[in-house]
Amino acid sequence: MPSLKDLKVRIDSVKSTQKITKAMKMVAASKLRRAQEAAESARPYAERMEKVLSSLGAAVKDQPGASPLLAGTGKHEVELVVVATSERGLCGGFNTNIVKLARAHIQELVAAGKTVKILAIGKKGVAQLRRDYGDLIIDIKDLSAVKRLGFADAQPIAQQILAMFERGEFDVATLFYAKFQSALVQVNTKQQLIPAPIPDVANDDDASSASDVSYEYEPSEEAILDDLLPRNVAVQLYRGLLENAASEQGSRMTAMDNATRNAGDMIDSLSITYNRTRQANITKELIEIISGAEAL
């Protein structure tokens, strides 16, 4: 049985840890509000751009000379997997869940005999991916120095992806991130970046209703798509990073809240053990005193 001194040291140590986790929870809650507002503000623009591309792309996708960013390369032999995770830990299963979804997708591609290239955004995801697919990682993007994520931080990554596609280094690009719903719920998401996904008009009510309306575009649909398609890659990537940032803070706040509660339960348990041990020692000393007095 541990001594009273050992129990006292343990209780003080857990109390110090509880103070740290409580402070981290408050910091995460403060950052979550700003990150949530940024993510929710980016959603309407990104979703509207997807609808515009769907409307334009459905009309010109199968036409000769359609942009490869829309029609694809005509094959699916090499896929670029973009895995976005956090730069810091202590956020529960946030990073693990994203990597788990990406790993399952990579396993399917490898089993089908396809070539996989991994572009990792965030150090925590790299540490997990290196265990099984370290040889597939072609680049790592470190955003740890970024205090407040902006479009200028996502654009260079999007430009690199577009440059790789133009050089024919891959056929399909897929982004993995966590979509923010609430501090308790983050939805792990897989989104195709290249070629731009165009919904099936026959099976999509919104797309079919939009196709019934006739629009005249100036300049032409092809000219608009040539400008929107590269921008869409940057916009969707930026949106994914913003969703990730909000999800990270929400997951960290929840994890630190659970850690604070667990520390409180541990303190209560250790305090009970400490009091029982102290009472047992006092009782033992009293018995020894009484026994000695009776012996006299």
Side-chain angles (χ1 to χ4, degrees):
M1 179 180 291
S3 64
L4 288 176
K5 182 179 179 180
D6 293 336
L7 288 171
K8 185 65 174 177
V9 170
R10 183 76 184 279
I11 291 172
D12 292 340
S13 176
V14 176
K15 284 183 177 179
S16 299
T17 302
Q18 187 184 41
K19 291 180 181 178
I20 295 173
T21 56
K22 187 175 182 179
M24 292 187 65
K25 172 194 170 183
M26 296 174 66
V27 171
S30 176
K31 291 182 177 180
L32 173 61
R33 182 177 180 181
R34 295 194 300 267
Q36 181 179 353
E37 290 175 353
E40 292 176 347
S41 298
R43 285 177 188 171
Y45 183 81
E47 291 172 355
R48 188 60 181 172
M49 178 168 282
E50 284 182 332
K51 291 182 179 180
V52 171
L53 287 177
S54 299
S55 176
L56 288 170
V60 302
K61 181 178 180 180
D62 298 326
Q63 293 182 3
S67 173
L69 291 174
L70 181 66
T73 60
K75 56 183 180 179
H76 187 180
E77 299 298 330
V78 182
E79 180 162 336
L80 177 67
V81 177
V82 183
V83 184
T85 54
S86 68
E87 300 289 348
R88 298 171 181 83
L90 297 178
C91 50
F94 168 73
N95 294 304
T96 301
N97 293 332
I98 297 175
V99 173
K100 183 179 180 181
L101 180 62
R103 186 183 286 117
H105 183 69
I106 294 171
Q107 289 174 351
E108 293 179 0
L109 294 174
V110 172
K114 303 183 185 300
T115 302
V116 179
K117 298 180 180 181
I118 301 176
L119 174 62
I121 305 175
K123 294 183 294 186
K124 291 303 177 180
V126 175
Q128 298 184 44
L129 288 170
R130 274 181 176 160
R131 299 173 189 171
D132 301 319
Y133 304 108
D135 56 332
L136 302 181
I137 299 176
I138 61 171
D139 198 3
I140 301 171
K141 297 300 180 183
D142 187 354
L143 300 178
S144 57
V146 178
K147 299 301 181 182
R148 190 167 185 176
L149 189 67
F151 186 73
D153 301 308
Q155 195 168 21
I157 304 175
Q159 290 174 348
Q160 178 182 349
I161 295 173
L162 291 169
M164 291 175 61
F165 183 70
E166 291 175 358
R167 293 193 298 266
E169 297 183 13
F170 65 87
D171 303 313
V172 177
T174 307
L175 172 66
F176 291 86
Y177 64 95
K179 186 175 182 181
F180 178 82
Q181 281 194 353
S182 68
L184 296 175
V185 181
Q186 299 87 35
V187 181
N188 302 313
T189 304
K190 177 178 72 174
Q191 180 178 357
Q192 183 174 303
L193 293 177
I194 300 176
I198 304 300
D200 187 359
V201 176
N203 298 326
D204 191 270
D205 295 336
D206 294 336
S208 60
S209 61
S211 63
D212 295 335
V213 182
S214 178
Y215 293 98
E216 291 185 2
Y217 295 96
E218 186 172 340
S220 63
E221 291 93 334
E222 292 80 3
I224 296 176
L225 285 173
D226 288 342
D227 182 69
L228 285 185
L229 286 170
R231 186 179 302 179
N232 179 65
V233 175
V235 169
Q236 301 304 329
L237 179 62
Y238 177 52
R239 174 196 181 184
L241 294 179
L242 288 177
E243 296 282 356
N244 245 20
S247 298
E248 175 190 351
Q249 298 302 332
S251 182
R252 178 173 290 113
M253 187 182 74
T254 302
M256 291 301 101
D257 181 59
N258 292 334
T260 302
R261 294 173 184 272
N262 292 337
D265 294 340
M266 185 176 293
I267 291 171
D268 293 340
S269 177
L270 289 172
S271 297
I272 292 174
T273 303
Y274 175 84
N275 292 331
R276 286 177 176 174
T277 304
R278 179 173 173 271
Q279 186 64 42
N281 290 339
I282 294 174
T283 303
K284 181 180 178 181
E285 291 175 359
L286 288 175
I287 292 173
E288 291 175 352
I289 293 172
I290 295 172
S291 299
E294 291 180 350
L296 296 175

